[in-house]
Amino acid sequence: MTLCTRPWGWLGWLPTLFAMPCAAADDPALRKDLTSALALLGTPCGQVVQATRQRDNDHLVTCQDGHRYRVFLNEQGRVVAQKR
Amino acid sequence: MPPSAQAAATAKRSAPVQAHVVAPVLAPPQAPVQALARPQATPPLDLQSLEARLKATQAIGVFTKLTLKNQIDDLLAQFRAYYRGQLKVTLTALRQSFDRLVLKVLALLQDADPPLAMAIESSRESIWGILSNPAKFAAV
């Protein structure tokens, strides 16, 4: 269990409703990387303004133009952008 | 000798000198033009080195590198299918796809890794020479 989902002290009995996905620290390099990857894929985005890591090589991305994508590496090793 | 005659004599003497001075400046130098007219030798293509540099460059991140790799693999698959007669496209269309991909790579690298961008640009025709030749492509 990661730090982000570990129950906080005596609040541990609270339901997992309060568990939050582990958000990546604001990483401009990651946002730039995902912006370039989306541009290469030809998906409309402009610029990535927020990137939230869900797991390794799997991010939820919010773009400047309002589009949201899940950008991840599939089993075949391909970078995929799924619209959310 | 009167001053006007002196001046005229001086001008007369210096005119040929001036002509000699001016003429070489105006006349185009022969040797440098000949050197420029000789075609520049294409640097030998080192695909492995280019690939290694592209993998190692700090100019682009992991997702971008993987996406580029996907697109390069897709293009190579198109060439394989073309040479097997499975793809109904022309070599011209494949050239356009190739040029588009090279342009994407250059756009990603030109600011943050100009030497690599230049190396890729100068290797463009050599790489096309391999891709467009069935025997050379099969050996890659």
Side-chain angles (χ1 to χ4, degrees):
Chain A
M1 196 184 288
T2 66
L3 178 64
C4 300
T5 56
R6 188 182 305 155
W8 288 69
W10 62 271
L11 295 173
W13 59 273
L14 287 175
T16 54
L17 183 68
F18 292 93
M20 297 291 287
C22 186
D26 185 31
D27 186 352
L30 174 63
R31 284 190 268 118
K32 185 186 170 197
D33 182 19
L34 291 167
T35 298
S36 299
L38 286 169
L40 280 173
L41 290 169
T43 46
C45 176
Q47 196 174 349
V48 169
V49 295
Q50 188 179 9
T52 306
R53 179 183 172 276
Q54 299 193 105
R55 58 187 71 86
D56 282 345
N57 298 317
D58 191 334
H59 294 80
L60 273 178
V61 152
T62 305
C63 298
Q64 196 176 32
D65 61 1
H67 285 103
R68 296 180 73 233
Y69 301 96
R70 177 189 168 210
V71 181
F72 65 101
L73 202 60
N74 70 7
E75 287 174 359
Q76 288 75 41
R78 295 197 70 93
V79 175
V80 178
Q82 278 178 355
K83 200 168 180 183
R84 292 282 152 166
Chain B
M1 193 186 276
S4 56
Q6 272 182 2
T10 311
K12 237 184 179 177
R13 273 199 299 274
S14 64
V17 171
Q18 284 174 357
H20 285 172
V21 166
V22 168
V25 171
L26 289 179
Q30 294 300 316
V33 168
Q34 284 169 0
L36 285 171
R38 237 178 288 130
Q40 299 273 343
T42 315
L45 177 65
D46 187 350
L47 270 178
Q48 284 184 338
S49 166
L50 277 180
E51 187 183 349
R53 287 174 69 182
L54 197 52
K55 281 181 181 173
T57 183
Q58 306 274 343
I60 51 181
V62 172
F63 272 98
T64 308
K65 286 178 187 174
L66 286 169
T67 309
L68 270 178
K69 182 186 176 304
N70 294 158
Q71 296 189 355
I72 290 168
D73 288 341
D74 289 345
L75 184 63
L76 292 176
Q78 282 189 335
F79 272 95
R80 271 183 228 109
Y82 170 75
Y83 287 127
R84 278 191 234 123
Q86 294 167 347
L87 199 63
K88 287 187 177 14
V89 291
T90 60
L91 207 56
T92 308
L94 287 175
R95 176 72 204 228
Q96 288 172 351
S97 300
F98 169 74
D99 283 336
R100 264 198 301 273
L101 187 55
V102 170
L103 210 60
K104 287 181 189 177
V105 174
L106 295 178
L108 289 168
L109 295 175
Q110 61 186 5
D111 290 334
D113 197 341
L116 181 53
M118 274 173 47
I120 290 171
E121 172 55 32
S122 63
S123 302
R124 181 202 291 252
E125 290 309 316
S126 301
I127 294 172
W128 177 251
I130 294 174
L131 291 174
S132 58
N133 183 311
K136 289 182 184 176
F137 179 73
V140 170

